[in-house]
Amino acid sequence: MDTLVILDFGGSQSQSVARRIRGEHVYCEVLNYDATAAEIRAKEPKGLLLVGGTQDAFQEGAPDASEEVYAMGLPMLCLGYGARIAVKHFGGRLLGPVLEKRPAQITLESSRLFEGLTECDRFIDRADAWELPEGFAAIASAAAGVQAGFECAEKNIFGLQFYPEQNDPDGLRILSNFACNICGCAQDWSVEAFIEGQVEAIRRQVGDGHALIAISGGVDSSVCAALMHRAIGRNMHCVHVNTGLMRKDESVLIAKVFGEELGMDLRMVDAEARFLSKLAGVTDPERKRKIIGEEFIRVFEEEAAKLGQVDYLVQGTIYPDVLESRGVGGVVVKSHHNVGGMPETMRFTGLVEPLKELFKDEVRQVGEALGLPADMVQRQPFPGPGLAVRCIGEVTKAKLDILREADAIFREEIANAGLARKIWQYFAVLTNMQSTGVRNGSRTYDYTVALRAINSVDAMTATAVRLPYDLLETCVTRITSEVPGVNRVVYDMTGKPPATIEWE
Ligand code: XMP
């Protein structure tokens, strides 16, 4: 498969550029900017992109790719900081920023990079004035003579001080011109090709061995299990631990899809009582997380032991997890532990991570192609410790049951309003607050449920969704009349920051 490699100088652009290139059906991988020529060569790329960077290329000692990498002679597309550092690398001069954080109309000269495009508006995060190295020519200009792009025809090196994939779908043409016309990549990356290739790779790795996966109902583990099943059939064993902290009917859906419809070897473990007794009296959120994580591994290990010889542990690691744990471009590593992490004391011949090259939306596409239901494939993010962090204070079965019912009503109403796919995350929280109310003429002293709906790109920041008032009213009426123990419903309008998405 034809491949492009992105050298990432930091910021979030590398991932979005990689996603867009894959969207053009060209396979693309992200490596840290200081990857060696040998590491890059191992990917057999047909071209390189230098992307991202919040640093100042103008400064002495600004991060750069090694001379050996430039000397590989591959076509290069350098974006943002990448363009400035390339100018410097080839002996040009940077003269400091002239445009910052504003949209600009950009005039494009005739270049192979711009085939099919005329001019465009782009948001410029930063553009420097520069003196281009010998053999380089300006190919894009913004107002007041600012050069927004260059090419070196002889070396097949191109640079842009704006991000072609941002704001304008037409800009994708620049990426596909580079990938297909300049690097000569075939557009041979697709979900179907991925599945076919992975099925073969899994069979090669696992052979007649047995593999085990914990499925939580989350997108990644579900898609991973279905893909593994396609490759090795009944040698793929799934364990689903019902912690008692799942949302309403989630375990039922898992049993239906994996057990009945796909006919997989699925072990359902009812560990509700175990988890709730460990959580009894615990109110500190981080203690809750720790207890749940540890207990999960214990239950999982016990189930694995019952299976006898299992050679491989399967995990639904996806590409952003890989990039984050590698710390590519300085991305902050998530502090949240994922329930279902690698049990350290277990002995396996190896680990299988068939989704580790995929972005989240690609994982969803693979799930759809494998026939998983939309409810599972489009599922919103859900915290590993489940409803425990949405049940404020002590976690009890009675409180969880109230929360499950309120949450199910909220989700149902969001779906009825056609908003399910338009909101990043929405859920109910059982606040630990009880207040006075009246029901059928009698005084009540019941819980307050908080509803939360947020939009986000990466969960690092979030804004509360302006839900229709009618929808909120319906939810209030239904929750207070259908869920015993609730006499008050509030809507949380706080963004992140200052709040977090979850209440605990
Ligand atoms: P916060 O609450 O930190 O949440 O704004 C950011 C995203 O992470 C999810 N979340 C968790 N995920 N284990 C997880 O696997 C956890 O302990 C955890 N806590 C929060 C949250 O749902 C949101 O999508």
Side-chain angles (χ1 to χ4, degrees), residues 289 336-338 381 383-385 390 424-425 459 496 500-502:
R289 283 188 167 85
H336 294 314
H337 62 265
N338 258 317
R390 295 180 180 170
W424 166 277
Q425 214 173 345
K496 173 182 179 178
T500 51
I501 295 174
E502 304 291 344

Side-chain angles (χ1 to χ4, degrees), residues 95 109 140 160 250 281 312 332 377:
L95 308 171
E109 305 295 330
L160 300 172
E250 276 195 314
Y312 292 92
V332 181
V377 170

Side-chain angles (χ1 to χ4, degrees), residues 416-470:
N416 289 345
L419 294 174
R421 300 276 290 272
K422 297 190 177 139
I423 303 175
W424 166 277
Q425 214 173 345
Y426 50 94
F427 53 88
V429 175
L430 187 67
T431 75
N432 212 19
M433 197 194 75
Q434 286 167 292
S435 65
T436 308
V438 276
R439 194 190 293 262
N440 302 328
S442 311
R443 182 178 170 281
T444 59
Y445 198 66
D446 286 337
Y447 282 109
T448 297
V449 162
L451 303 180
R452 184 131 174 84
I454 58 99
N455 271 330
S456 177
V457 179
D458 52 10
M460 304 295 281
T461 59
T463 49
V465 177
R466 291 183 172 204
L467 287 181
Y469 211 89
D470 290 354

Side-chain angles (χ1 to χ4, degrees), residues 8-12 30-33 54-55 323 326-332:
D8 178 14
F9 285 86
S12 58
V30 181
L31 299 181
N32 219 346
Y33 74 90
T54 48
Q55 312 88 328
L323 297 181
R326 236 201 255 154
V328 168
V331 176
V332 181

